[in-house]
Amino acid sequence: MGLELYLDLLSQPCRAVYIFAKKNGIPFQLRTVELLKGQHLSDAFVQVNPLKKVPALKDGDFILTESVAILLYLTHKYKVPEHWYPQDLQTRARVDEYLAWQHTTLRRNCLRALWHKVMLPNFLGEQVSPKTLEDTVAELDVTLQLLEDKFLQNKDFIVGPHISLADLVAITELMHPMGAGCQVFQSRPKLAAWRQRIEAAVGKDLFQEAHEVILKVKNTPPADPTIKQKLMPGVLAMIQ
Amino acid sequence: MGLELYLDLLSQPCRAVFIFAKKNGIPFQLRTVQLLKGQNCSKEFLQINSLQRVPVLKDGDFILTESSAILIYLSCKYQVADHWYPSDLQTRSQIQEYLGWHAYNIRSIFGVTLWVRVLAPLIGIQVPEEKVNRNRTYMDHALQQLESKFLGDKPFLVGQQVSLADLMLLEELIQPVAVGYDVFVGRPRLAAWRGRIEAFLDTELWQEAHGPIFNILEQMAKKTLPVPPPETQKNMLFRISKIP
Ligand SMILES: N[C@@H](CCC(=O)N[C@@H](CS)C(=O)NCC(=O)O)C(=O)O
Ligand SMILES: N[C@@H](CCC(=O)N[C@@H](CS)C(=O)NCC(=O)O)C(=O)O
């Protein structure tokens, strides 16, 4: 059995993995795990990842979770172009730095923005207080500013003139609040131009294909009560 | 100028970096940044890290933040023993897998205990009981996942030898222990794992790295901890308000 990727394109780290594999012509079997249907909680998937999260990779007997680990694994195993994870020690360290930083900052805030603004009220029927929503959006704003000032600065991409894993992981996050209707690029011309460069680098079609689901997420119909009950604990833990 | 490390040994990622550099005989200048004195908000330090956080590495003109990135940089630059960051692809990937999980599930949870027991009281705040209990539930849950998914029956997180993942984890777990909440009690497998790492590090290095954190309760009782300046207290209040 060749490479298998367990993904749901609703999830931002899954989109990063998907785009990366496709862009680099890495052959894989797509195993879709529909989060909104609770498929990540199924017995079959728990065999793959007992932590019940996507993305997950299976390569023969070897199972790997966590998007950053998966991206690095693919980078090394498939000898992709060097710019994704540069050989130069210091440039590479910059990629690692961004990938370490984003977990509890950009990732967390983009996730919360989507769930507080759209998924909790529309999909799970849970009201979110205006104060919570306001705080979430404000925190996202602060993080976006850091992304711009500390990481992107005046460069074309996060670590220099070429796209790297850092950009891919960052942009797939930003598309989450976009899906929620936050206009993250509108008043941020630098980030907007950077997004265009990323789209050009990975290819517009692929970028669009990967983001189709998230950009339509507002139309998700409400969950039925059984699904809601099943998903709620995981969701609350995830956006805490 | 050679390698400089900006650290405060009260901070868990700083201790991981400190122990790693010392254990591997990497020569560095220690630049102590005392968080309790607000030294991370000083003008000088702002030049080093606009995010006002430690640890930071400075190697000539090159400045790097984030403990895991620093550890990986040091591993490659100083060609330390392979077990720290193994070149075998699958093993290395497992370290990355652990670090990814750690960032969200360990890092943000275990440090709360220091805030509850020391940092909040230091500025006259009591963290509500409800939050303290919730934090304990999170810790228990994380430790369960840690033991079942990551440690299992292995001697170390990714196999037979200590790696930088073990160091990152251990330092997070030391935080509650130092303030009297011993997460190793009742968890023999985890306790044995800690014992293996302690045995691997020299006693002297262990004591040097953990002196400040293991003395913190005593310092608090004797009221010899620095009183944070107003600006720092403001940051601390904000941080305390964010405890879930
Ligand atoms: N740090 C992980 C995050 C994985 C994660 O949280 N995945 C989410 C989707 S974005 C998930 O599977 N959530 C299901 C749940 O928590 O119940 C990574 O980067 O891969
Ligand atoms: N993810 C970072 C975390 C760095 C961090 O949170 N440092 C804390 C000390 S443990 C700090 O400098 N806090 C000061 C502040 O936030 O004002 C790493 O692993 O290096």
Side-chain angles (χ1 to χ4, degrees), chain A residues 65 73 90 94 97 103 139, chain B residues 63 65 93 97 104 242:
Chain A
T65 68
Y73 178 82
Q90 296 190 347
R94 285 268 166 269
E97 180 182 46
H103 288 286
E139 279 180 47
Chain B
I63 292 178
T65 68
S93 300
E97 177 179 46
Y104 219 77
K242 291 288 163 199

Side-chain angles (χ1 to χ4, degrees), chain B:
Chain B
M1 179 69 77
L3 182 69
E4 296 162 81
L5 295 176
Y6 293 78
L7 310 175
D8 180 338
L9 293 182
L10 289 181
S11 136
Q12 39 300 43
C14 290
R15 290 197 300 271
V17 170
F18 181 82
I19 292 174
F20 183 86
K22 286 272 181 176
K23 177 72 191 169
N24 287 297
I26 297 171
F28 66 94
Q29 282 283 336
L30 176 63
R31 306 269 180 242
T32 299
V33 181
Q34 283 190 273
L35 298 174
L36 279 181
K37 292 192 180 157
Q39 291 174 350
N40 57 320
C41 302
S42 71
K43 272 213 196 88
E44 295 90 322
F45 189 67
L46 223 62
Q47 301 289 316
I48 304 286
N49 183 9
S50 57
L51 302 181
Q52 306 181 339
R53 301 206 151 191
V54 284
V56 181
L57 166 151
K58 190 160 181 296
D59 191 3
D61 285 343
F62 179 68
I63 292 178
L64 186 66
T65 68
E66 290 297 331
S67 52
S68 56
I70 294 174
L71 291 174
I72 293 172
Y73 178 82
L74 293 176
S75 298
C76 300
K77 169 137 187 188
Y78 294 91
Q79 298 180 351
V80 303
D82 192 67
H83 62 82
W84 287 110
Y85 191 51
S87 41
D88 173 68
L89 179 56
Q90 293 194 352
T91 319
R92 178 169 289 195
S93 300
Q94 284 165 340
I95 292 191
Q96 286 290 346
E97 177 179 46
Y98 174 75
L99 292 176
W101 181 78
H102 171 99
Y104 219 77
N105 297 279
I106 296 286
R107 169 71 194 137
S108 46
I109 290 173
F110 288 78
V112 169
T113 49
L114 181 69
W115 287 88
V116 170
R117 288 297 308 277
V118 178
L119 302 178
L122 186 64
I123 59 169
I125 308 263
Q126 212 46 51
V127 176
E129 200 56 30
E130 188 197 336
K131 291 191 173 194
V132 177
N133 291 336
R134 194 175 302 141
N135 179 244
R136 294 207 166 174
T137 318
Y138 291 155
M139 284 195 283
D140 279 344
H141 181 65
L143 289 172
Q144 257 167 36
Q145 294 197 329
L146 176 73
E147 287 201 87
S148 64
K149 157 114 184 142
F150 292 99
L151 187 56
D153 293 319
K154 304 188 297 300
F156 295 100
L157 281 175
V158 297
Q160 298 304 312
Q161 283 184 286
V162 68
S163 75
L164 47 88
D166 296 290
L167 219 45
M168 294 278 286
L169 171 60
L170 180 64
E171 290 313 319
E172 291 296 335
L173 300 189
I174 289 294
Q175 217 72 345
V177 172
V179 297
Y181 184 65
D182 193 339
V183 294
F184 295 102
V185 169
R187 293 197 171 80
R189 267 199 294 175
L190 207 58
W193 164 83
R194 171 187 166 168
R196 282 188 285 273
I197 302 180
E198 260 195 81
F200 176 77
L201 304 173
D202 329 70
T203 317
E204 212 176 300
L205 174 55
W206 177 267
Q207 280 168 357
E208 189 185 358
H210 297 101
I213 194 73
F214 281 145
N215 280 332
I216 199 148
L217 286 184
E218 196 186 319
Q219 278 203 295
M220 185 162 94
K222 286 199 201 138
K223 301 199 189 307
T224 49
L225 285 174
V227 178
E231 190 54 28
T232 302
Q233 293 209 15
K234 230 176 76 195
N235 295 343
M236 289 170 75
L237 277 175
F238 179 73
R239 173 71 181 71
I240 292 164
S241 75
K242 291 288 163 199
I243 295 174

